[in-house]
């Protein structure tokens, strides 16, 4: 399938007011191939240093860090990752400046090797059409964390992505572990890699930052951040920020859909004592998004500027089911976490990190019919169905509003000539509803014992998710899609409980120039489902536990700057609650097993103050892939609006991926930086089902990618250019359509002016 992205124009203004002086800047940049555009180049700051193999006091690290400037800290970021036995890369800070102000934090990783992001629209403003692949895995098979907190599921139906939890202006660092992650990483879907988004730290001095951006497609964004500076004898720092973002869909005119997003971020770091540090984060996000539709390659070639959604109301329900306004995503998310880090001495440290996540939202469509109750023989009874009851589709009403059955011999139920004179077409607004409460904690300890560095911990999480679907009656589809309340039909309403426990232990062994790591982890996952229409009647309960999951690795320090590494890790993903939902209609799910992936990583990395490079090879075998088998297709509309929780899930084959990834980052001069990354990947399916044939290439996964970038910063001037080439890839799982290669170009130019010491 094709997803769309369009050239855009952005203009931005940035003002920084650190109380002692004020600064203002104006920066321009662009996005995408055949693009002329502009965007604010945003300075960022590094986060707290990550855990090293040797451990050490985090409090001491923070105090040492606060004595250096933020620009110095940024220059010390190691883009080829930590000295660990698996491939990981840190996004260079200057590469963040290629991000347009209205883009999301998720899109920023697109320059790293192995990663390909297909954003939802120009500004990555539609989660429905968003996609990301990494070594043959999609976002639903990758782990995501925000400041170390688990992002949770990333599927559209009740999941979320990191852009709901963090604004781009507050992004400090992104670390991508392409094959596997640190053994303590909290994720229950990380069959492939893990992406950790880290917010930047509060400023050392008080200040206010104000950004304004405006551009094509009525794009507009306001961002304000206040930093408190040092409080309570220089022991506490914090910030709070607010942003408001709006843009219309880039295709169409008039009523062509839009996105509106309101977001809040906050962070507080406090040294409660010489040995105890607290870091608290909280965010709130409220978003409304009209979606982009996916199209076939033939449709794209016919008209590359149309996704087959319409922006003109016709009064014909079969046509207006593709009217863009009802194709909407509504989401509210709130995330909060408080991390306590205790370092009693130089050989041990402990952390405890409780968190809470709340989500509520919906997704809409406009089916060109209404649902009515039927008797045991399938004959209309005249009224709407009871909650959860069977139904029949009605496409027309008589002049008095009574439902009309499809006449015998009528081949097209939308044909008015099949019905009595004066008949009125029927239409519904179908809304899927999502609500989730997710809470838990992470606790771990580090101990240095001789030449061993020991790590052990637990991840505890409970998730309570509610999912339902309601149908509203459109008042008069000849006029518009306005609908009556309350809904006329509750199709299903379920409560899904998932309790996750992960325990792990690892030993890093230091033997001179050789570091070895030996670890093991285990998941204990229980799922249950209740039918809330039937007053909470249970319909399924299963356990989806892992076996012991090994993690083995070695790092050989060939020189102070050069390392060779290799690792083997078994990754795991339990059965999801989406599988559980099918049991509500009697589907047998006892045969569905958890998914696993065996990952082999090896490579060489070089790190020096001015030059960093790495070359990595990998082989991944993903087994027991859980695949959804759809029920018989709806032969009336292209979308099966009434599918509900029907269908079944089966384990089939999987995916094997192998390839090579290369990265280089060179500070040619203090003012000039060059960056490059390259990917060669071969991902194929292993099983035969639903159009998949063993040996087919994995859909959407390019075999070749190349990124080149250059940036220049001197005095107040800043500028940069970048290009990404993405090779051809198949758009369908049966490999019947191959999408051509494309290139994306980005650039920015700006000037930062110090207005002096007198402005406050």
């Amino acid at each position: 399938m094709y997803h769309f992205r369009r050239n855009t124009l952005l203009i931005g203004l940035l003002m920084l007011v650190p109380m002692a002086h004020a600064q203002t800047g104006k920066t321009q940049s662009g996005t995408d191939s055949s693009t002329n555009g502009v965007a604010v180049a945003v300075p960022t700051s590094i986060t707290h240093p990550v855990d090293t193999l040797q451990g050490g006091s985090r409090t001491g690290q923070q105090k040492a860090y606060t004595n250096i400037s933020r620009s110095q800290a940024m220059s010390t970021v190691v883009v080829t990752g930590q000295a660990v036995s698996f491939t990981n890369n840190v996004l260079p800070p200057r590469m963040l400046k290629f991000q347009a102000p209205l883009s999301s934090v998720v899109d920023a990783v697109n320059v790293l090797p192995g990663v390909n992001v297909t954003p939802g629209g120009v500004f990555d403003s539609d989660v429905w059409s968003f996609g990301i692949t990494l070594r043959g895995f999609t976002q639903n098979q990758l782990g995501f964390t925000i400041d170390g907190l688990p992002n949770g599921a990333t599927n559209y139906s009740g999941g979320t992505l990191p852009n709901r939890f963090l604004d781009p202006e507050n992004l400090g660092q992104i670390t991508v572990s392409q094959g596997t992650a640190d053994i303590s990483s909290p994720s229950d879907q990380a069959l492939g890699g893990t992406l950790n988004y880290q917010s930047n730290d509060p400023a050392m001095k008080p200040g206010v930052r104000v950004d304004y951006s405006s551009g094509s497609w009525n794009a507009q964004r306001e961002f304000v951040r206040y930093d408190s500076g040092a409080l309570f004898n220089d022991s506490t720092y914090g910030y709070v920020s607010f942003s408001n973002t709006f843009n219309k869909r880039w295709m169409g005119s008039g009523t062509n859909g839009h996105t509106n997003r309101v977001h809040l971020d906050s962070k507080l770091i406090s040294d409660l004592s010489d040995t105890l540090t607290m870091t608290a984060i909280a965010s709130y996000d409220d978003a409304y998004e009209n979606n982009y539709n996916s199209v076939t390659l033939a449709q794209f070639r016919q008209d590359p500027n149309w996704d087959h959604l319409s922006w003109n109301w016709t009064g014909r329900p079969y046509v207006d089911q593709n009217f863009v306004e009802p194709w909407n995503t509504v989401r509210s998310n709130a995330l909060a976490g408080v991390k306590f880090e205790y370092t009693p001495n130089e050989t041990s440290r402990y952390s405890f990190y409780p968190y809470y996540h709340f989500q509520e939202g919906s997704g809409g469509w406009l089916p060109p019919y209404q649902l009515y109750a039927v008797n045991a023989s399938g004959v209309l009874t005249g009224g709407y169905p009871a909650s959860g009851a069977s139904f029949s589709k009605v496409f027309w009403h008589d002049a008095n509003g009574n439902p009309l059955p499809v006449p015998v011999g009528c081949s097209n139920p939308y044909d008015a000539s099949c019905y009595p004179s004066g008949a009125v077409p029927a239409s519904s607004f179908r809304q899927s509803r999502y609500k989730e409460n997710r809470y838990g904690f992470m606790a771990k300890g580090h101990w240095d014992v001789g030449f061993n560095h020991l790590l052990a911990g637990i991840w505890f999480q409970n998730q309570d998710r509610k999912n339902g679907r309601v149908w509203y009656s459109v008042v008069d589809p000849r006029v518009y899609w306005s609908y009556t309340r309350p809904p006329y039909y509750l199709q299903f309403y379920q409560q899904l409980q998932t309790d996750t426990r992960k325990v792990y232990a690892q030993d890093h062994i230091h033997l001179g120039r050789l570091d070895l790591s030996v670890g093991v982890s285990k998941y204990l996952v229980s799922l249950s489902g209740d039918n809330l229409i039937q007053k909470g009647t249970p319909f399924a309960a299963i356990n989806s536990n892992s076996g012991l999951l090994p993690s083995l690795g070695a790092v050989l320090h060939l020189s102070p700057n050069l390392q060779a590494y290799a690792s083997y890790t078994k990754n795991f993903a339990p059965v999801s609650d989406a599988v559980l939902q099918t049991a509500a209609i009697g589907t047998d799910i006892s045969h569905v097993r958890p998914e696993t992936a065996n990952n082999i990583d090896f490579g060489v990395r070089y790190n020096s103050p001015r030059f960093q490079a790495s070359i990595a090879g990998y082989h991944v075998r993903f087994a027991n892939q859980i695949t959804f088998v759809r029920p018989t297709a709806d032969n009336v509309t292209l979308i099966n609006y009434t599918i509900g929780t029907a269908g079944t899930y089966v384990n089939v084959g999987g995916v094997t991926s192998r390839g090579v990834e290369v990265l280089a980052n060179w500070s040619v001069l203090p003012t000039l930086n060059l960056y490059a990354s390259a990917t060669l990947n071969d991902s194929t399916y292993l099983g035969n089902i639903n159009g998949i044939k063993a040996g087919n290439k994995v859909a959407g996964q390019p075999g070749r990618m190349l990124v080149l970038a250059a940036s220049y910063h001197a005095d107040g001037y800043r500028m940069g250019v970048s290009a990404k080439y993405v090779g051809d890839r198949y758009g369908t799982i049966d490999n019947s359509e191959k999408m051509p290669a494309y290139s994306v170009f980005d650039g920015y130019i700006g000037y930062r002016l110090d207005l002096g010491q007198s402005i406050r």
Side-chain angles (χ1 to χ4, degrees), residues 641-686:
Y641 297 109
T642 61
I643 186 173
T645 60
T648 187
Y649 288 86
V650 296
N651 293 100
V652 54
V655 170
T656 182
S657 294
R658 58 179 68 88
V660 177
E661 298 163 346
V662 179
L663 181 148
N665 188 63
W666 182 23
S667 297
V668 183
L669 300 169
T671 55
L672 177 63
N673 194 84
L674 303 178
Y675 173 87
S677 71
T679 302
L680 293 174
N681 178 77
D682 180 31
S683 296
T684 58
Y685 294 112
L686 297 177

Side-chain angles (χ1 to χ4, degrees), residues 276-591:
L276 182 61
T277 299
M278 180 190 73
T279 302
I281 64 166
S283 67
Y284 174 77
D285 187 273
D286 186 77
Y288 174 91
E289 302 167 353
N290 283 123
N291 309 136
Y292 290 90
N293 191 18
S294 56
V295 299
T296 65
L297 181 58
Q299 290 172 327
F300 180 82
R301 285 172 172 166
Q302 183 181 17
D303 188 348
N305 296 313
W306 184 35
D307 63 349
H308 288 252
L309 296 184
S310 62
W311 43 89
N312 294 310
W313 189 260
T314 69
R316 293 176 293 166
Y318 184 77
V319 176
D320 293 333
Q321 65 178 311
N322 291 323
F323 187 60
V324 68
E325 286 187 7
W327 283 56
N328 59 50
T329 298
V330 181
R331 294 289 191 278
S332 294
N333 282 274
L335 177 68
V338 181
K339 184 177 183 180
F340 298 92
E341 296 172 282
Y342 176 59
T343 311
N345 51 56
E346 295 182 354
T347 61
S348 63
R349 70 185 187 280
Y350 309 88
S351 65
F352 178 67
Y353 203 169
Y355 62 89
Y356 173 72
H357 171 220
F358 171 80
Q359 180 194 98
E360 188 169 23
S362 63
W365 264 338
L366 198 68
Y369 49 74
Q370 289 189 10
L371 305 179
Y372 275 83
V374 293
N375 60 25
S377 301
V379 178
L380 294 175
T381 60
Y384 289 126
S387 296
S390 58
F391 52 79
S392 181
K393 297 170 186 173
V394 168
F395 302 89
W396 293 81
H397 295 112
D398 64 20
N400 296 318
N402 300 310
L404 296 172
V406 179
V408 176
C410 180
S411 60
N412 180 4
Y414 300 101
D415 187 354
S417 65
C418 290
Y419 301 89
S421 176
V424 178
S427 181
S428 301
F429 176 57
R430 197 206 78 171
Q431 187 180 67
S432 297
R433 293 178 174 178
Y434 312 103
K435 187 174 184 179
E436 177 181 305
N437 287 278
R438 183 169 60 92
Y439 59 91
F441 68 85
M442 295 166 288
K444 62 181 177 180
H446 297 258
W447 303 269
D448 289 323
V449 182
F451 51 76
N452 298 280
H453 177 75
L454 304 176
L455 166 66
I458 183 173
W459 172 39
F460 176 103
Q461 177 177 280
N462 288 347
Q463 175 180 286
D464 180 8
R465 188 170 78 89
K466 292 182 174 66
N467 184 201
R469 181 164 296 155
V470 294
W471 294 66
Y472 295 91
S473 173
V474 174
V475 178
D476 188 347
R478 297 170 300 179
V479 178
Y480 203 53
W481 66 286
S482 302
Y483 54 89
T484 60
R485 294 177 177 82
Y488 70 80
Y489 178 51
L490 174 60
Q491 186 174 356
F492 66 89
Y493 188 30
Q494 300 168 347
Q495 181 171 6
L496 305 158
Q497 182 74 29
T498 304
D499 297 336
T500 303
R501 315 290 184 256
K502 177 185 178 181
V503 293
Y504 57 88
Q506 189 173 56
D507 184 12
H508 289 289
I509 306 168
H510 310 293
L511 303 173
R513 297 169 63 180
L514 178 65
D515 292 335
L516 301 176
S517 64
V518 180
V520 64
S521 61
K522 183 175 177 61
Y523 285 83
L524 301 171
V525 182
S526 63
L527 302 94
S528 62
D530 297 329
N531 189 332
L532 297 181
I533 292 179
Q534 298 176 358
K535 299 181 179 180
T537 303
F539 59 79
I542 61 172
N543 292 321
S544 186
N545 303 328
S546 74
L548 294 178
L549 304 172
S551 177
L552 309 172
V555 179
L556 178 62
H557 299 268
L558 302 173
S559 74
N561 303 110
L562 184 64
Q563 305 159 2
Y565 65 90
S567 68
Y568 165 78
T569 305
K570 188 171 185 177
N571 298 334
F572 170 84
V575 172
S576 71
D577 61 8
V579 176
L580 201 72
Q581 286 186 277
T582 63
I585 60 171
T587 301
D588 180 17
I589 61 172
S590 61
H591 60 280

Side-chain angles (χ1 to χ4, degrees), residues 54-138:
Q54 292 76 24
S57 167
R58 179 230 175 272
T59 305
Q61 288 174 337
Q62 179 189 352
K63 292 187 176 181
Y65 168 71
T66 59
N67 291 327
I68 63 175
S69 70
R70 304 182 88 76
S71 60
Q72 287 174 318
M74 289 201 316
S75 69
T76 63
V77 172
V78 181
V79 300
T80 54
Q82 301 170 249
V84 291
S85 58
F86 51 85
T87 304
N88 70 335
N89 300 115
V90 177
L91 185 69
R94 281 193 180 183
M95 296 302 293
L96 292 174
K97 294 179 173 59
F98 288 99
Q99 292 302 111
L102 277 76
S103 64
S104 79
V105 296
V106 184
D107 198 19
V109 299
N110 206 20
V111 299
L112 290 175
V115 183
N116 189 44
V117 178
T118 53
V122 176
F123 305 114
D124 198 9
S125 55
D126 172 33
V127 70
W128 166 260
S129 56
F130 171 87
I132 182 172
T133 63
L134 175 60
R135 293 186 177 181
F137 292 95
T138 67

Side-chain angles (χ1 to χ4, degrees), residues 233-307:
N233 297 321
D234 295 342
S235 66
T236 303
Y237 304 83
Y239 69 73
V240 61
S241 70
F242 168 84
S243 68
N244 182 49
T245 306
F246 176 89
N247 65 270
K248 301 191 75 173
R249 289 184 358 126
W250 66 261
M251 58 184 65
S253 59
T255 306
N256 65 329
H258 72 278
T259 289
N260 190 65
R261 175 176 177 263
V262 174
H263 187 86
L264 293 168
D265 278 333
S266 62
K267 188 172 185 177
L268 180 72
I269 300 175
S270 181
D271 291 322
L272 303 178
S273 70
D274 290 339
T275 58
L276 182 61
T277 299
M278 180 190 73
T279 302
I281 64 166
S283 67
Y284 174 77
D285 187 273
D286 186 77
Y288 174 91
E289 302 167 353
N290 283 123
N291 309 136
Y292 290 90
N293 191 18
S294 56
V295 299
T296 65
L297 181 58
Q299 290 172 327
F300 180 82
R301 285 172 172 166
Q302 183 181 17
D303 188 348
N305 296 313
W306 184 35
D307 63 349

Side-chain angles (χ1 to χ4, degrees), residues 40 196 278 338 594 619 678:
V40 178
N196 181 34
M278 180 190 73
V338 181
H619 183 277

